[in-house]
Amino acid sequence: MLDIALVGCGGMMPLPNRYLSSLLLRFEGRMLLIDCGEGTQVSVKQVGWGFKNIDCICLTHFHADHVAGLPGLLLTIGGSGREEPLTIVGPQGVGHIVRSLCVIAPEIPFPINFIEIPARGATDIAIPLTSYALSASPAEHNCPCFAFRVDIKRKGKFDLEAAQLLPIPRNYWKVLQSGQDIEHEGRLYAPDMVMGQERKGLAVSYCTDSRPPRGLAAFVRGSDIFVCEGHYGEDDKLDKAKSHKHMLFSEAAQLARAGEVKQMWLTHFSPAMPNPEAFIQVARNIFPNSHVGYDRMTATLSFEED
């Protein structure tokens, strides 16, 4: 099962009832966080999943409402007892940005590995020590910015009949099931000799601070949940959205429909929109399974039955 928590759903500045945009994912006890604006750690605390097992933090871009919460969060993760390395992923220059922010947090007790996303099309990102398959795709903002997709892969079923036909001891079957090759009597045996085709996994996509970028519908295609910014609810805010490189509810819904996602959560609301629920029908007229996000909104996704 994959647990999802929309830690915060505000844009630009926190409000008394709305923290800044951030998303937390949990799978098999290990966590991945996307964005970390001011006050993120307060809302993560309220979610109640702990801090120690946050293995990776992904930053869409370097505006303050997406990164200013990092020093405090990293200190809290350290205070929870974490000693193993943590990975931070972001646009080029992510190491410089985080190290600069953490001048005020010099006591972080664990190493930080930085992964810079190349400034090109959709790309896969290898994250050490996690169960998540992460990929990024360029967004369209007024600074380098990326959308993220997280996939939980699912192995095929073990093929007992195929395994019984192989001239290898039974105790090697588990090695092949774990994804490792083995050599026996001068011959190499690969996992695909005993495993069926990969089964359908789970996918969550996240895009904020962007105009509707070319290629994003294909990038999020088939996601179980698509978390997308809806900075403005009204269509008459289009000129403002274009000027500030943000999206309307209707534009987010068009992306969700084109990407054939299962459901969409709207997020990153303008501070000038205190009641985004008033505009949800704008999105639902285009993509019926649209939902207005709220702080600490959660869901649990399960693998489909075989």
Side-chain angles (χ1 to χ4, degrees):
M1 295 186 297
L2 174 65
D3 298 313
I4 302 103
L6 186 59
V7 176
C9 59
M12 298 175 64
M13 60 181 287
L15 299 178
N17 62 342
R18 188 190 294 168
Y19 285 106
L20 295 169
S21 291
S22 182
L23 187 74
L24 185 64
L25 306 179
R26 180 176 65 173
F27 180 69
E28 295 181 341
R30 312 308 302 184
M31 292 185 285
L32 178 148
L33 181 74
I34 303 178
D35 281 338
C36 187
E38 175 188 352
T40 293
Q41 65 171 316
V42 179
S43 198
V44 170
K45 177 71 172 178
Q46 291 174 289
V47 169
W49 296 353
F51 292 91
K52 184 178 179 180
N53 291 341
I54 297 176
D55 295 318
C56 180
I57 299 173
C58 303
L59 304 176
T60 56
H61 63 298
F62 300 143
H63 283 165
D65 57 334
H66 295 260
V67 303
L70 274 171
L73 178 71
L74 293 172
L75 285 173
T76 298
I77 293 173
S80 71
R82 187 181 182 95
E83 296 179 350
E84 60 266 45
L86 181 146
T87 299
I88 298 182
V89 179
Q92 291 182 355
V94 62
H96 171 72
I97 293 293
V98 175
R99 282 189 288 267
S100 298
L101 287 167
C102 288
V103 166
I104 61 171
E107 304 89 358
I108 296 170
F110 50 83
I112 299 176
N113 299 321
F114 296 103
I115 298 177
E116 292 191 342
I117 307 170
R120 58 171 185 259
T123 183
D124 295 333
I125 301 165
I127 318 172
L129 305 175
T130 72
S131 304
Y132 301 95
L134 179 69
S135 50
S137 184
E140 185 184 334
H141 199 39
N142 50 23
C143 68
C145 185
F146 289 89
F148 289 105
R149 177 182 176 120
V150 176
D151 286 276
I152 304 296
K153 305 289 187 180
R154 195 179 184 202
K155 297 177 186 177
K157 284 187 173 182
F158 177 68
D159 188 336
L160 177 60
E161 292 184 3
Q164 289 173 332
L165 293 174
L166 296 179
I168 58 175
R170 280 175 171 262
N171 60 308
Y172 284 180
W173 292 358
K174 283 190 176 181
V175 180
L176 292 173
Q177 278 183 276
S178 70
Q180 300 178 57
D181 293 336
I182 61 168
E183 187 175 346
H184 178 67
E185 295 183 347
R187 182 181 173 188
L188 190 66
Y189 295 87
D192 60 10
M193 293 178 174
V194 299
M195 302 299 294
Q197 288 189 337
E198 187 177 282
R199 291 171 286 178
K200 186 180 184 304
L202 300 170
V204 176
S205 299
Y206 181 94
C207 179
T208 185
D209 287 65
S210 180
R211 294 293 300 144
R214 181 181 300 175
L216 187 69
F219 180 70
V220 306
R221 188 168 305 282
S223 295
D224 294 278
I225 295 179
F226 173 37
V227 182
C228 187
E229 88 149 17
H231 202 66
Y232 305 108
E234 314 100 305
D235 281 347
D236 62 11
K237 293 285 199 302
L238 179 59
D239 288 343
K240 195 169 185 179
K242 288 181 177 179
S243 172
H244 296 287
K245 300 289 187 182
H246 286 296
M247 258 189 267
L248 308 174
F249 275 29
S250 59
E251 292 174 315
Q254 288 163 10
L255 284 170
R257 182 177 64 186
E260 300 177 342
V261 304
K262 290 187 177 178
Q263 62 175 302
M264 177 179 67
W265 293 2
L266 290 159
T267 191
H268 199 267
F269 307 122
S270 166
M273 185 168 59
N275 184 25
E277 293 86 355
F279 306 101
I280 187 57
Q281 199 56 45
V282 173
R284 287 180 176 167
N285 287 340
I286 299 166
F287 184 73
N289 204 6
S290 298
H291 304 274
V292 169
Y294 55 86
D295 284 14
R296 295 168 299 284
M297 178 179 183
T298 59
T300 297
L301 300 177
S302 299
F303 292 116
E304 290 182 358
E305 294 292 332
D306 297 325

